[in-house]
Amino acid sequence: MIITVEEPKHAAAIEALLDASFGPDRFNKTAYRLRDGVDSIPALNLVAIEHDEHGREVVVGTIRYWPILVGGATPSILLGPIAVAAHLQGSGLGSKMIRMSLNKAVALGHKSVILVGDAPYYERFGFTRALTLGMEMPGPVDMSRLLGLELVEGSLAGAAGMIGKPEQADAQDVAIGATPVLGPVLATSIDLPAGDTPVPFSALFSRTAAERLWTDRVRRTDWFWRDGLQAGAA
């Protein structure tokens, strides 16, 4: 299995996987109001791929991110949807995809992530309701499931108000992140040009978040980015 950046050729298989996971009513969820008419963030959209007996690709996992704006002032990104094929649920694939995509989000300069999901599951990655207490959603939602994660400490401090779609110019800024990609992202550091010292992830976001992201159930050397593709120890 590989985990790699989503390509246009994966679109139909992703939709089929999402339909199987969430049913035909998924488009009625409030989170889809924030996605409608907005481009997702290509660099953070990942797919997990297996190959069948004929060597054909089979999409067995997907995760996507979208630009959002909190209270008309604080840019962030929205995680979801994320889905894993039925035969791989409980295998840890979803956790790996979350960690890898958050890894990339840090490298791309994103500062925070918002999602709607089960707190007991997402708390292991550092998401918490405490960071979203002043926020609102543009439709009905169980507010106990509205969670936030700071990739940069303090980035959601004071963030409050309605979560909405960013303006197009703002969306482009959020999509590319505040800083350029520095290079291939490893599970413990970011490689800089030859001669520079690698920067540990602990220098990029808070120690607490880093520990939750990279030490829960996954050995740090198991998964790594190579030339934009995800490889791993099966």
Side-chain angles (χ1 to χ4, degrees):
M1 180 190 298
I2 64 169
I3 299 177
T4 186
V5 176
E6 174 190 323
E7 298 179 26
K9 66 179 181 179
H10 300 132
I14 289 172
E15 291 305 307
L17 179 57
L18 292 174
D19 283 343
S21 299
F22 301 110
D25 293 334
R26 61 189 174 91
F27 293 103
N28 295 326
K29 294 180 180 291
T30 296
Y32 272 88
R33 297 187 185 183
L34 299 173
R35 301 168 186 151
D36 186 31
V38 177
D39 292 334
S40 60
I41 305 174
L44 296 181
N45 296 340
L46 306 180
V47 288
I49 297 173
E50 289 185 333
H51 291 83
D52 64 17
E53 64 272 20
H54 303 292
R56 295 173 297 201
E57 287 189 351
V58 179
V59 174
V60 294
T62 176
I63 186 170
R64 285 172 168 168
Y65 287 79
W66 311 76
I68 55 173
L69 199 62
V70 181
T74 305
S76 187
I77 55 178
L78 180 72
L79 188 163
I82 175 171
V84 173
H87 71 283
L88 287 171
Q89 291 179 8
S91 68
L93 176 58
S95 293
K96 288 184 176 71
M97 296 185 74
I98 291 171
R99 289 186 176 87
M100 294 168 198
S101 56
L102 292 176
N103 181 328
K104 288 203 74 179
V106 170
L108 287 168
H110 296 287
K111 297 181 179 180
S112 64
V113 186
I114 305 294
L115 63 79
V116 179
D118 295 331
Y121 177 80
Y122 288 102
E123 284 172 349
R124 73 185 71 180
F125 309 106
F127 286 91
T128 174
R129 173 66 175 129
L131 292 172
T132 63
L133 290 176
M135 301 181 190
E136 304 174 46
M137 289 285 283
V141 67
D142 179 353
M143 296 302 289
S144 68
R145 291 166 51 84
L146 183 63
L147 312 174
L149 169 67
E150 292 180 334
L151 299 178
V152 174
E153 193 166 4
S155 58
L156 290 178
M162 185 64 67
I163 299 174
K165 302 176 185 179
E167 297 297 330
Q168 188 59 40
D170 293 332
Q172 293 173 357
D173 291 341
V174 171
I176 63 174
T179 59
V181 180
L182 299 177
V185 181
L186 304 181
T188 55
S189 68
I190 290 181
D191 289 344
L192 298 175
D196 290 338
T197 303
V199 179
F201 276 121
S202 58
L204 297 178
F205 51 87
S206 72
R207 178 179 176 185
T208 300
E211 288 173 347
R212 288 174 177 169
L213 287 173
W214 307 110
T215 62
D216 179 42
R217 298 186 182 179
V218 177
R219 295 195 307 275
R220 297 189 179 196
T221 56
D222 277 353
W223 296 83
F224 57 91
W225 282 95
R226 178 185 293 163
D227 297 332
L229 295 179
Q230 186 69 35

